[in-house]
Amino acid sequence: MKWAMVATWRMAFEGVEKASEILSVGGNSKDAIEESIKMVEDYPFYKSVGYGGLPNEHCEVELDGAFMDGDTLSFGAIGGIKDFKNPISIARKLSMERFNCFLVGKGAEEYAKQNGFEQRPMLTKRAETHYKIRKRDIEEKGLSPYDGHDTVGIIALDSLKSMTVGTSTSGLFMKKRGRVGDSPVSGSGFYVDSEVGGATATGLGEDIMKGCLSYEIVRLMAEGLSPQKAADKALNEFIRRIKAKGSKIGEISIVALNNQGEFGVATNIKNFSFVYSSEKHKTTVYVCENHEGETTYEEASEEWLEAYSKRIKEELFFD
Ligand code: GLY
């Protein structure tokens, strides 16, 4: 297999489709990752990434993201950056820095400005309406504020056998100002080594970071496990350990890709969707479930895809 990509969530579909054109003509995995994630960041109806991302408790959109080069293990990461259009491009630039490659808040914004990255107010009217509705529900119905944090994470393998991974997210809806999740944290939200493969996670960052799950999956693949076995084993073992300690566990889903282009997926939720594309496989959305520790998946049906498109654009009312 010459090239392949795997990504978290249905929202990655258009980006992966576009990036597959780059890879199919011999383009590199770094460009594929930046282009595919930029498409997700720019689309206003994906409410947990980039423009239109869900805000923190002060109604500010603070974005996290990362970019890792599997040939050198260099990574760049940003946390809590405000009002820059494409966090993934800033993370890519940071991955070329020998020092200061993980920047947060004002420091990340200064770096982005100095390096000419495009600024843009990232809060949309729609995200503001989501915020108002959630605030009212928290006050009136006593609902938990912390729900909804779907990170886009994509891994790419190119025809020269180079691998890259990227992540981008607005993080936990209603988070505290300055809260950073797993998505920009190497080994937790992402990891890739072109000699082995890569993994990337989505879900509750506070829990994903307890298990360094992306690194663990790459480590298991290096021991010879298939991406599917490595993903299931890492997640199952982590859940067992957390439960044995008497702690709760949040929602976690992970995708993995080895340097042969084979993918794996693990989840502890219903309806986790992901996207896979390769030289031999058209870009496809899958939906998966966990049956007693084993993740199974099937191609998303037309009904599922239609319901998804309708749901993300449905009108929001707040009065
Ligand atoms: N996984 C995204 C976050 O927890 O921020």
Side-chain angles (χ1 to χ4, degrees), residues 277-297:
S277 185
S278 81
E279 193 193 359
K280 296 182 185 154
H281 192 103
K282 74 175 173 32
T283 311
T284 306
V285 179
Y286 292 94
V287 184
C288 40
E289 290 203 17
N290 186 307
H291 296 283
E292 291 165 6
E294 224 174 274
T295 306
T296 57
Y297 49 86

Side-chain angles (χ1 to χ4, degrees), residues 61-66 76-82 87 90-91 94 101-109 169-170 175 177-185:
V61 182
E62 291 182 312
L63 301 169
D64 302 338
I78 46 175
I81 196 167
K82 281 195 265 184
I90 304 166
L94 279 166
C101 66
F102 187 171
L103 298 176
V104 300
K106 281 206 180 335
E109 286 156 17
T169 185
S170 53
K175 64 192 178 183
R177 184 181 279 147
R179 179 263 186 196
V180 175
D182 60 300
S183 305
V185 177

Side-chain angles (χ1 to χ4, degrees), residues 117-132:
F117 287 99
E118 190 176 336
Q119 289 178 267
R120 159 182 216 182
M122 297 298 271
L123 181 68
T124 59
K125 277 271 159 245
R126 189 175 174 80
E128 201 178 340
T129 307
H130 271 296
Y131 172 86
K132 286 179 184 161

